[in-house]
Amino acid sequence: MTAHFAGGEFAFNAYSRFGMRNSRRVRVGPMSAPTPGEGIDDPREAQGWGAGLALVEERFQAGAPEVDRFPAGWRLVSRLTARSTRLARAGDRVLRYRF
């Protein structure tokens, strides 16, 4: 994308290595979890890929507004996890980059 367009932004769901390793155990309805793979622990990692990316934002699922609609147990875990960047980073998050 960065070679094709002069500039822009893009965002994607990023899972940590821990999250990817454990994704085989998660199943939501008829859909299965992401295929286990590398994962991204440090959101600044992409800035070293040589594509001219700059991290703009990292949003954690644990602190998202929709957590209020989770079942009670998941809601509690999410709220506790959201108190720690390290723990929140181990789960799902959205990374946004500018190029």
Side-chain angles (χ1 to χ4, degrees), residues 5-87:
F5 295 104
E9 291 188 4
F10 70 95
F12 60 92
N13 277 49
Y15 294 88
S16 66
R17 286 175 175 81
F18 172 80
M20 293 302 288
R21 259 193 326 271
N22 289 302
S23 66
R24 284 181 243 192
R25 299 180 187 142
V26 177
R27 194 166 176 84
V28 179
M31 308 239 347
S32 61
T35 304
E38 284 287 319
I40 298 174
D41 291 333
D42 183 349
R44 294 177 301 270
E45 179 181 328
Q47 295 177 148
W49 294 347
L53 300 176
L55 179 66
V56 175
E57 180 180 31
E58 176 181 33
R59 285 196 178 198
F60 302 112
Q61 171 63 35
E66 55 268 20
V67 167
D68 292 340
R69 296 186 300 221
F70 286 4
W74 280 111
R75 202 168 42 242
L76 175 63
V77 169
S78 293
R79 288 185 177 147
L80 291 173
T81 301
R83 294 176 181 224
S84 165
T85 299
R86 183 175 178 204
L87 290 175

